[in-house]
Structure formats: C-alpha cells, structure tokens
Amino acid sequence: MNLLLLLLLLPLLLFITTTTSTATIPPGSSLYASNTSQTWSSPNNAFFLGFTRVDPTSYVISISTATGVPIWTTVNRTTSAAVVDSGGVFQFLSNGNLRLVNGSGATVWTSNTAKLGVTSASLDDTGNLVLAANTFAVWSSFENPTDTLVPSQNLTVNQTLRSGVYSFQLLRDGNITLTWNNSVVYWKQGLSSLSASNVTSPTLRLQPNGILTLSDASSNGRSENVAFANDYDVEADVVRFMRLSSDGNLRIYSGGTTAMTWAALADQCQVYGYCGNMGICSYMESSSSPICKCPSLNFEAVDVNDRRKGCKRKVEVENCAGNVAMLELKQTKFFTFQEQQIVTIGITACRGNCLSSTSCFASTSLSDTNAWCYMKNTPDFVSGYQGPVLLSTSFLKVCGPVQPNPSPLEQSGGDKKCWKLRVWAGGVAGHYFGHGRFIGFVLVVLQ
Ligand SMILES: *[C@@H]1O[C@H](CO)[C@@H](O)[C@H](O)[C@H]1NC(C)=O
Ligand SMILES: *[C@@H]1O[C@H](CO)[C@@H](O)[C@H](O)[C@H]1NC(C)=O
Ligand SMILES: *[C@@H]1O[C@H](CO)[C@@H](O)[C@H](O)[C@H]1NC(C)=O
Ligand SMILES: *[C@@H]1O[C@H](CO)[C@@H](O)[C@H](O)[C@H]1NC(C)=O
Ligand SMILES: *[C@@H]1O[C@H](CO)[C@@H](O)[C@H](O)[C@H]1NC(C)=O
Ligand SMILES: *[C@@H]1O[C@H](CO)[C@@H](O)[C@H](O)[C@H]1NC(C)=O
Ligand SMILES: *[C@@H]1O[C@H](CO)[C@@H](O)[C@H](O)[C@H]1NC(C)=O
Ligand SMILES: *[C@@H]1O[C@H](CO)[C@@H](O)[C@H](O)[C@H]1NC(C)=O
C-alpha cells in the first residue's frame, strides 16, 4: 500500500524537482556567449536570462520576456549595456557573486555580492533575478534597473532608469522627471491628489492593467494615477513594460516594442539634445519621424552616419576674428531649461549684444509684451527645434559669410494635410512650454 502510494507520488515529486531546478540557479553555474540557446528560465517560462548577439562579434547578457523583449541588462559605469565577445561567460560564483567576464578574461560587470552570505540565485515569474542569503534578498535586478520597468517592479527615489545620456527619476516629493546628461530636466510631471508635502518615500509602479501609479507610505495605501496606457484595463495576456529609450522618450508598451501605448513626450523634437549639440530637430512634411539637420551650411555633421550626434562649425569662431556674423534661424527655438542670462532689451540689441560679446555664442529674444533676451555663453549646449508653427527666430554666431540651408520648399513639394497636423502638434507643445516652469529659448520673428 505504502509502496503504491510512493509510486503514485513519484512522478509528482520528480515534476516538482525539475520545475524548481529551472528557477533556481545553482552556485557555480555559467552561461556562455558562444551558445545563445542556453538560458536560465523563470518557472513559468515567461522570462529568461541569456546571451543575445548584438553584432557578429558582440554579445550582451539580459533578462528577456518569452517573446524576446529585454527588460534588464548589465550596465557598468557607462550608461550602455556591457558588451563581451564570443568568449564571454556569465557566472554565478559559489562566493555569491554574479559576474560577466569577457573572452579576454576581464571582468566587465559584477553584482558585488561576494561575502554577503548569498546562498541562492533565482529568476522568478515576475522577471526579477534575486540573490538571496537564505530567504533574505541581498541583491535583485528589480532594485538595479537599467532602462525598463515591468509590473511588480517598484521604482523608488534611489532607482534611476538610464539610456545613454538620458535618465528617468522619481523625486523625493513624488515628481517624475526626464533628464539630459544628469543636468537638464526637459520633462516633469508633478502630483495632483497626493499632497506633495506629505510624501515621504514614494514608489512608482506600472500596474498589469496599464496604469502607472504612485503610492507613498504616508498615503495609507492610496495611490495616484500618473499615466494611462491607451489600452489600459483591456484584458490582455501581454507583458506591459515602460522603457526609457535612447531617443530620450519614456514609453509604455503592450507586449512588444511595436505596440506603444503611452509616451511622455508626444512630440519627439521636444526631447532635449535629441539632435545633439547645435543640431536642429524638425519633421518632414509627409512624416511623423523627426529628422536632424545642421543650422546652416556653415556647419557640418559630427558623424554623417548618425545625425543625432550633432553639428560643428566648419570654421570655429575663434579662427575668424573680424568676420563673425549672426546666423538667423526663423521659426526656430533653442531649448534652455536652465537659468540663463536674461535681459529685457529689444530683438535688435539682443542680436547685436551677443555679436559684440566674446563669450556669447547664441542669443534670443522672447517677446509677447516684453522684449526678453536670452544669452547663451560658451561652453554650452544648444538643442534646436524648427517648425512652421514656431513664431521665433534664433541666432547663432558663425564665421561669415552666412550660408543658409536651402529652404524646405525648394527641396520638396508637400502633403499639405500632414503639414497642418504637425503645425497643430507644435502649437500645443509651444503652449505647454510657454506656461510651464520651463523657459523656451525663443525669439519672435522679426517681420
Ligand atoms: C547549447 O545549449 C543548449 C541548451 O543548454 C544545449 O542543448 C546545446 O547542446 C548547447 N550547444 C552546444 C554547441 O554546446
Ligand atoms: C573584450 O575582449 C575583446 C578582445 O577579445 C576586446 O576587444 C574588448 O575590448 C574587450 N571588452 C571589454 C569590455 O573588456
Ligand atoms: C565594472 O567593471 C570593472 C572592470 O572593468 C570591475 O572591476 C568593477 O567591479 C565593475 N563594477 C561593477 C559595479 O560591476
Ligand atoms: C513592491 O512594494 C510592495 C509594497 O511596498 C511590496 O509588497 C513588494 O514586495 C515590492 N516588490 C518588490 C519586488 O520588491
Ligand atoms: C535611498 O538612499 C539613501 C542613501 O543612500 C537612504 O538613506 C534611503 O533610505 C534610500 N531610500 C529608499 C527608499 O530606499
Ligand atoms: C555632460 O556633462 C558633463 C559634466 O557633467 C560635461 O563634461 C559634458 O560635456 C556634458 N556633455 C555634453 C554633450 O555636453
Ligand atoms: C513638483 O511638482 C510640483 C507641482 O507640479 C511643483 O510645485 C514642485 O515645484 C515640483 N518639485 C520639484 C522639486 O521640482
Ligand atoms: C497631509 O498632512 C496633513 C497634516 O498632517 C493632513 O491634514 C492632510 O490630510 C494630509 N494630506 C494627505 C493627502 O494625506
């Protein structure tokens, strides 16, 4: 009788052992870049950890969804994924350390958890890779995020999503921000219903139903909705995720990167530095994808194969004393989110003062009722936006003669419907920037 019972239970026991062994990663295990089909999976197979080939000789290690969307990767000091060659190995060492080693033998990334009593590593069904000392979590991928947030993952004030030069952060007062180069905040959203002054340790979560919520220890379990995916509350058997992309925009997706359901900035050209230093962001008449170009023929692309790297002067201003001119850019603004030198003088003086100042390299005058002049001094970064709706003109110092770009009308005909649509989008954005805390680097057209 007992034997029969054991025989009946045996397949069940075997089943339990095999499923847990896929979730728990034994100390001393390794994954090899040379074999990308070898992975560590979560028990429900919704997530796996493994190498992905990014180009013929480079590999990255990442946690991905079953459909191959990466949600976490190793990032060391720089803000891009740690890359190894085909000899790369990802190891869970018996001392408790997780380590990514290059074929050359160099340690490219570590979890720095040696000697912390780590006894186990596991990838759970929510996509969290956890290193635990018995049952106490010492380190987890959720607490060390890269550029992505998934449901079940808590983002607190000490966790930053990063992608290249951009970062996304939850501030202590509950505001959320997008920042360029750790210095320029180009997007911010504050709280409305949770009293900001009462917030002590806020937590941001992407709910499985597609709503981004903020809760706080002081709010007795209440949470505030921060953003809604456009398919929120739709019963969908997809993994939603929020990602800060290398283009500086924060988006929510349903399932894969082709199903975008929310974006922090509807107008991509509003992302600071999208076109690099002295690059100008604009849209073609027939397309909603932004394009980057240089301010004039006095400039050239830093990298012709990557227009987002910005522009540089063909001749530096220091090398043309006596021949310095101001390039006039109509319907163009330069974003200045930082405090700038502001004076209330007219547009002509604003242009002239910059031209005659050795430190000024760009100037602008914002003139509704007052003539406000903004000066930008070197060294600084200029991020430009050009659009037919912008009633602004910007000036940049160049070596004469000024060689304007051929006008878009000369370059191409146009689809007037799309043109109007874009005008409207720019108008909304302009309104937001005009009335928010942010100050646009704007000049009124000199008619
Ligand atoms: C790659 O890994 C898979 C899964 O562990 C294994 O079945 C396969 O034999 C490995 N291939 C090589 C060439 O080692
Ligand atoms: C990895 O090793 C290759 C040579 O095998 C080397 O070119 C590369 O720079 C190394 N990468 C890192 C991050 O150490
Ligand atoms: C970053 O990489 C270096 C080796 O290049 C390694 O010594 C260091 O521990 C790594 N830092 C982290 C936090 O992984
Ligand atoms: C996220 O926060 C909630 C509430 O504070 C907590 O119950 C949960 O365990 C946290 N999740 C993770 C993965 O830390
Ligand atoms: C954030 O880090 C600071 C200092 O490192 C620490 O005092 C604080 O408790 C942390 N906050 C959270 C919510 O983890
Ligand atoms: C980013 O900031 C650092 C200083 O923190 C500065 O040295 C660097 O030039 C900045 N990058 C750009 C592209 O301006
Ligand atoms: C947070 O947002 C609120 C409301 O939008 C604003 O008043 C406050 O100044 C913001 N805090 C910070 C640190 O920017
Ligand atoms: C914030 O704190 C004040 C004073 O403690 C309290 O009266 C108020 O109800 C709190 N607000 C919220 C939204 O919890």
Side-chain angles (χ1 to χ4, degrees):
M1 192 63 180
N2 276 350
L3 189 66
L4 188 64
L5 191 68
L6 190 65
L7 281 173
L8 282 170
L9 280 174
L10 200 58
L12 189 65
L13 286 171
L14 278 174
F15 178 70
I16 290 166
T17 359
T18 45
T19 46
T20 44
S21 71
T22 55
T24 307
I25 301 147
S29 315
S30 298
L31 291 172
Y32 298 89
S34 56
N35 186 355
T36 52
S37 54
Q38 188 197 4
T39 58
W40 292 333
S41 297
S42 65
N44 63 0
N45 290 314
F47 296 92
F48 66 91
L49 175 67
F51 278 101
T52 312
R53 201 167 81 159
V54 289
D55 70 46
T57 56
S58 316
Y59 299 79
V60 293
I61 186 96
S62 53
I63 299 173
S64 304
T65 66
T67 55
V69 175
I71 62 160
W72 179 85
T73 187
T74 53
V75 174
N76 187 351
R77 233 160 274 166
T78 62
T79 51
S80 46
V83 170
V84 291
D85 57 27
S86 61
V89 190
F90 190 64
Q91 304 163 313
F92 175 41
L93 304 173
S94 21
N95 67 7
N97 220 359
L98 271 179
R99 188 168 76 169
L100 178 63
V101 183
N102 196 13
S104 62
T107 297
V108 172
W109 177 89
T110 97
S111 60
N112 286 321
T113 48
K115 304 194 188 90
L116 294 178
V118 171
T119 51
S120 69
S122 60
L123 180 62
D124 72 21
D125 287 342
T126 63
N128 194 10
L129 177 65
V130 181
L131 299 181
N134 297 315
T135 54
F136 177 72
V138 170
W139 180 95
S140 73
S141 57
F142 275 9
E143 284 173 353
N144 294 273
T146 52
D147 58 4
T148 306
L149 189 76
V150 291
S152 313
Q153 186 172 0
N154 298 326
L155 191 85
T156 65
V157 293
N158 290 351
Q159 283 132 20
T160 304
L161 302 186
R162 287 184 189 279
S163 189
V165 78
Y166 298 103
S167 53
F168 171 70
Q169 227 173 340
L170 171 63
L171 306 183
R172 214 158 279 280
D173 64 5
N175 291 2
I176 51 176
T177 58
L178 286 172
T179 307
W180 174 87
N181 202 21
N182 296 320
S183 55
V184 179
V185 175
Y186 58 94
W187 181 82
K188 177 173 347 196
Q189 189 168 307
L191 290 172
S192 50
S193 68
L194 286 175
S195 164
S197 57
N198 290 10
V199 171
T200 54
S201 55
T203 301
L204 195 69
R205 276 189 209 96
L206 177 62
Q207 303 296 338
N209 65 1
I211 303 178
L212 187 66
T213 63
L214 190 101
S215 58
D216 184 68
S218 70
S219 66
N220 299 322
R222 273 191 321 120
S223 65
E224 175 173 325
N225 297 331
V226 173
F228 295 85
N230 62 22
D231 65 344
Y232 79 94
D233 265 351
V234 172
E235 290 287 334
D237 192 18
V238 293
V239 180
R240 293 178 196 266
F241 60 98
M242 182 170 80
R243 172 171 299 164
L244 174 62
S245 302
S246 58
D247 65 9
N249 213 336
L250 180 74
R251 300 182 182 88
I252 296 175
Y253 299 89
S254 292
T257 45
T258 51
M260 196 261 283
T261 52
W262 177 83
L265 292 121
D267 181 351
Q268 181 61 36
C269 279
Q270 300 282 357
V271 170
Y272 190 83
Y274 177 74
C275 287
N277 194 13
M278 294 190 282
I280 311 283
C281 187
S282 65
Y283 296 92
M284 294 294 277
E285 293 182 25
S286 52
S287 165
S288 61
S289 323
I291 54 163
C292 293
K293 57 187 181 184
C294 291
S296 71
L297 300 178
N298 302 84
F299 294 80
E300 61 192 355
V302 168
D303 179 351
V304 287
N305 297 314
D306 185 0
R307 293 278 167 173
R308 288 198 49 207
K309 293 236 168 79
C311 303
K312 58 175 192 283
R313 288 181 183 84
K314 288 177 181 166
V315 182
E316 288 304 328
V317 170
E318 304 85 74
N319 301 333
C320 65
N323 190 24
V324 180
M326 290 307 263
L327 168 68
E328 182 180 303
L329 297 164
K330 286 196 164 138
Q331 298 176 319
T332 303
K333 69 178 173 184
F334 290 123
F335 297 116
T336 62
F337 296 113
Q338 312 105 302
E339 290 299 318
Q340 300 293 318
Q341 189 191 339
I342 305 173
V343 280
T344 50
I345 51 173
I347 186 166
T348 314
C350 185
R351 179 187 191 274
N353 283 12
C354 184
L355 184 59
S356 58
S357 154
T358 48
S359 60
C360 181
F361 79 108
S363 72
T364 193
S365 148
L366 178 73
S367 177
D368 285 314
T369 48
N370 300 309
W372 290 15
C373 177
Y374 296 81
M375 304 270 196
K376 258 180 147 353
N377 294 332
T378 40
D380 206 342
F381 188 94
V382 169
S383 174
Y385 184 5
Q386 184 169 51
V389 72
L390 299 175
L391 293 174
S392 48
T393 303
S394 296
F395 293 104
L396 258 179
K397 212 179 248 184
V398 295
C399 285
V402 165
Q403 299 170 283
N405 285 333
S407 94
L409 291 174
E410 286 163 35
Q411 286 175 325
S412 65
D415 175 344
K416 294 290 181 290
K417 267 186 206 154
C418 284
W419 196 238
K420 276 182 190 145
L421 206 69
R422 181 54 54 199
V423 167
W424 177 81
V428 171
H431 184 270
Y432 171 70
F433 278 88
H435 292 81
R437 252 179 53 90
F438 305 139
I439 303 161
F441 188 70
V442 178
L443 263 184
V444 162
V445 187
L446 194 57
Q447 299 282 3

